[in-house]
Amino acid sequence: MRSMTGYSKLNYEDENYVINMEIKSVNNKNLATKIKLPYNLNLLESFIRGEIAALISRGSIDFRIEFENKNESLKNLKYDENLAKSCMDILNKMEKDFDDKFSNKLDFLVRNFGVISQKDLDTDEEKYKDIIALKLKELLQNFIKTKIEEGSRLRIFFKEQLNILKSKLEEVKKLKLQVVENYKQKLLNNINSIKADINFNEEDILKEVLLFSDRVDITEEISRLESHFKQLEHEFDIDEISQGKKIEFIFQEIFREFNTMGVKSNMYEISKLVVESKNELEKMREQIMNIE
């Protein structure tokens, strides 16, 4: 079981490169990946996206790289002399026209007119890809580890909550037979209190009890809940890359069965147990949405 929440960071430097990578994720119904790359790694975006998708099935992913090739030194900068002279002429004219001085024309020129820029270099995509792939693998391994660790904590929480639900369902099972018996006794008491004035057919009384018994019967709901609980236990005990959607579906079915049970039950003690069970389900809901 893996959580959709995870984080990893990697810092690397050798004689040629400085690489800083960071990846983080939160829950999402599907896989949504945002990638931020420096200009000299843009050609690797599809590769990086594919590497992430191969290991992660769901979640909102934010991934970024800061990358420096130490061999791209100052000699790779270019100076546009013609543009600089033209811009300086304009700045000089502006000073004359407005009878005022720039505090630092050269600084203004460099910052605003792009007279110094990076030379167009032939990017060695395969060379960059090798080092990026190696470090990306290392980053993703640690990232997956954080997701598994969080998933393990969720597994413990879910099992504890499921045991609470199972215990409450056992209490419901003990009480459900009393519902019809209580109604039958109440009906007979009412009949006895007025039988001197009205003649009752015993067969009609039996039909009424049977109709009531059918309306409040929660045997099917109990059976389906027990089946859903077994499915959840199975999902909590196995390790798969993508379990979240299946567990969400089972959870919805459990919630639906408790709702039906609450509507059909005609006993305060059972209604109370249903409300308590739904409260425990609410505690699980947000965390269940966080399973990958």
Side-chain angles (χ1 to χ4, degrees), residues 48 145 159 183 256 271:
I48 293 171
K145 182 180 177 182
K159 286 189 172 185
Y183 178 77
R256 185 177 293 113
S271 297

Side-chain angles (χ1 to χ4, degrees), residues 126-247:
E126 287 304 316
K127 184 178 179 182
Y128 286 176
K129 184 177 179 180
D130 289 342
I131 183 66
I132 293 300
L134 183 64
K135 295 304 165 186
L136 179 61
K137 181 179 180 181
E138 184 179 335
L139 177 82
L140 291 177
Q141 285 176 341
N142 189 59
F143 179 60
I144 296 297
K145 182 180 177 182
T146 66
K147 287 159 64 68
I148 291 174
E149 289 173 351
E150 178 62 21
S152 296
R153 287 190 285 270
L154 289 176
R155 190 200 307 269
I156 294 170
F157 169 74
F158 290 144
K159 286 189 172 185
E160 291 173 349
Q161 290 300 110
L162 184 56
N163 285 333
I164 293 173
L165 293 177
K166 288 166 68 176
S167 66
K168 292 190 180 299
L169 186 60
E170 288 300 314
E171 293 182 55
V172 170
K173 288 167 66 176
K174 293 175 183 177
L175 292 169
K176 82 180 184 72
L177 295 177
Q178 295 180 25
V179 176
V180 176
E181 185 61 33
N182 290 349
Y183 178 77
K184 179 182 176 181
Q185 192 59 50
K186 183 178 179 181
L187 182 62
L188 290 174
N189 290 339
N190 290 337
I191 290 171
N192 288 331
S193 67
I194 59 175
K195 67 180 180 180
D197 302 315
I198 303 175
N199 292 323
F200 290 94
N201 187 313
E202 187 174 335
E203 185 176 332
D204 291 336
I205 296 172
L206 181 59
K207 286 181 179 178
E208 174 61 27
V209 172
L210 289 175
L211 286 171
F212 176 80
S213 176
D214 185 62
R215 288 198 305 270
V216 300
D217 184 28
I218 56 175
T219 302
E220 289 188 10
E221 285 74 23
I222 290 173
S223 178
R224 284 194 288 265
L225 279 171
E226 288 177 332
S227 175
H228 295 328
F229 289 168
K230 287 180 181 178
Q231 287 179 290
L232 272 187
E233 280 184 315
H234 173 71
E235 292 299 324
F236 294 159
D237 285 335
I238 64 174
D239 287 307
E240 292 182 354
I241 292 178
S242 182
Q243 294 176 268
K245 289 185 179 180
K246 187 188 297 185
I247 292 176

Side-chain angles (χ1 to χ4, degrees), residues 259-290:
N259 271 335
T260 304
M261 186 181 292
V263 171
K264 292 174 71 173
S265 64
N266 196 57
M267 186 178 190
Y268 169 76
E269 289 80 3
I270 292 180
S271 297
K272 182 172 179 290
L273 286 168
V274 168
V275 171
E276 291 172 355
S277 297
K278 290 168 71 173
N279 285 337
E280 298 301 327
L281 285 169
E282 284 297 331
K283 294 177 184 178
M284 299 172 72
R285 184 190 295 273
E286 183 177 346
Q287 298 302 327
I288 282 176
M289 298 293 289
N290 197 33

Side-chain angles (χ1 to χ4, degrees), residues 12-27:
Y12 172 80
E13 182 173 359
D14 62 16
E15 66 275 9
N16 297 312
Y17 306 111
V18 177
I19 302 173
N20 297 309
M21 291 185 180
E22 183 181 49
I23 186 169
K24 55 186 176 181
S25 66
V26 294
N27 62 328

